[in-house]
Amino acid sequence: MPQYGYFLSCEQYGPAELIEQARMAEQAGFQSLWISDHYHPWNDEQGQSPFVWSVIGALSEAVSLPIETAVTCPTVRMHPAVVAQAAATSAVMTNGRFRLGVGSGEALNEHILGDHWPPAHVRLEMLEEAIQVMRRLFTGEEVNHHGPHYTVENARLYTVPDEPVPIDISGFGPAATQLASRVGDGYITVMPDASMVEQYRKGGGGAKPVSGGTKVCYGTDKEECVRTVHRLWANEQLPGELGQVLPSPKHFEQAQQLVTEDMVRENRVCGDDVEEHIAELTKFADAGFDVVYVNQIGPDMRGFFDFYRTKVLPQLQRNG
């Protein structure tokens, strides 16, 4: 049976709200936390984007749940040597309850310093080299590295956890999934696709953890929930590589005019039907996921956590 965690959205909420949601998630019976790592929200309606490492520091004091970034891009906006220091400190502050989720990133967040945004295959090369650099730094030994994408000179992390920080790799296509199976400590995706999980496990991932996430909008008025999702998260229904290449929130706002409320209604769980929420999470369990994270889009946070505490999580545990 999978574990069930809560997905904190740094695009939609400020630091204090995220901390309060984490507390409510722990009280409701969720077993771990994901937290997004963004410089920008996807659109201005979402309206937030706090620095994730500051929030993780606060979370380490507020809750006892394991925490993972979903996901950090350690290649362009932040050098992998700096990400390694942030991750190592987070692991120390959480007593080893931190995992670093990484991915190849989006132009939305990563091009802000004016760096060239490379094509997908180069981004994966950069990600693999960044992981090599970070793993060496997690040993606490001095690192010198001169690679095709990164240079590190006389770098040593003095604050490191007892065990190296696990690095899970996000993948939405065959190439990224292959990288995850070859060099990752786990695999992250947001699609309940059994074939991708199978590719990961057979490609070398074996029994390492596979984690997935989804968004729902709990509320007593289903149509109001649909409108809320359409206003805040229509970007998730955009096809292809748009999510990786559009450079600013205003471009996503332009593109998401193509997304209709019917598309949201067909692709997102909206409302308070227990069976619909259970069916959405069960898709991930049936596809072979070890951990499933859920995010509440709508404003009724207390209602959502009460709903999951009393109706959804107990039934999922019975079903398992």
Side-chain angles (χ1 to χ4, degrees), residues 141 189 209 213 218 260 292:
E141 299 174 359
T189 188
Y218 166 82
T260 66
V292 186

Side-chain angles (χ1 to χ4, degrees), residues 132-297:
Q132 293 170 353
V133 168
M134 292 189 293
R135 283 206 172 118
R136 289 179 63 191
L137 286 164
F138 289 154
T139 66
E141 299 174 359
E142 182 177 299
V143 173
N144 289 281
H145 173 89
H146 298 275
H149 300 289
Y150 302 106
T151 297
V152 178
E153 290 187 353
N154 307 117
R156 178 185 170 191
L157 296 182
Y158 281 80
T159 300
V160 293
D162 293 336
E163 298 292 332
V165 180
I167 300 176
D168 298 339
I169 300 176
S170 171
F172 304 120
T177 302
Q178 193 274 332
L179 176 65
S181 65
R182 187 163 50 82
V183 303
D185 295 309
Y187 176 50
I188 291 172
T189 188
V190 293
M191 299 173 289
D193 187 334
S195 65
M196 300 293 282
V197 175
E198 184 179 17
Q199 180 194 341
Y200 171 74
R201 296 212 184 280
K202 289 186 175 179
K208 294 175 183 177
V210 175
S211 302
T214 188
K215 295 180 184 296
V216 302
C217 188
Y218 166 82
T220 55
D221 184 334
K222 179 168 183 173
E223 290 307 307
E224 179 63 25
C225 289
V226 170
R227 291 190 291 272
T228 297
V229 176
H230 186 259
R231 178 173 59 86
L232 290 168
W233 286 93
N235 59 284
E236 290 208 320
Q237 306 305 321
L238 294 175
E241 290 188 72
L242 288 177
Q244 283 71 54
V245 300
L246 293 179
S248 75
K250 69 180 179 183
H251 293 103
F252 281 93
E253 289 164 8
Q254 292 166 7
Q256 67 192 34
Q257 293 176 45
L258 303 171
V259 178
T260 66
E261 289 187 3
D262 282 342
M263 293 167 68
V264 169
R265 197 176 287 105
E266 292 168 9
N267 290 285
R268 277 284 164 254
V269 173
C270 294
D272 60 355
D273 186 311
V274 176
E275 295 307 319
E276 288 186 12
H277 285 261
I278 289 170
E280 173 68 11
L281 298 181
T282 301
K283 291 177 187 175
F284 289 87
D286 291 344
F289 283 73
D290 299 295
V291 191
V292 186
Y293 294 85
V294 59
N295 169 258
Q296 158 69 345
I297 292 174

Side-chain angles (χ1 to χ4, degrees), residues 106-118:
E106 307 95 12
L108 174 70
N109 302 303
E110 305 305 324
H111 87 295
I112 58 166
L113 303 179
D115 299 279
H116 169 66
W117 185 238

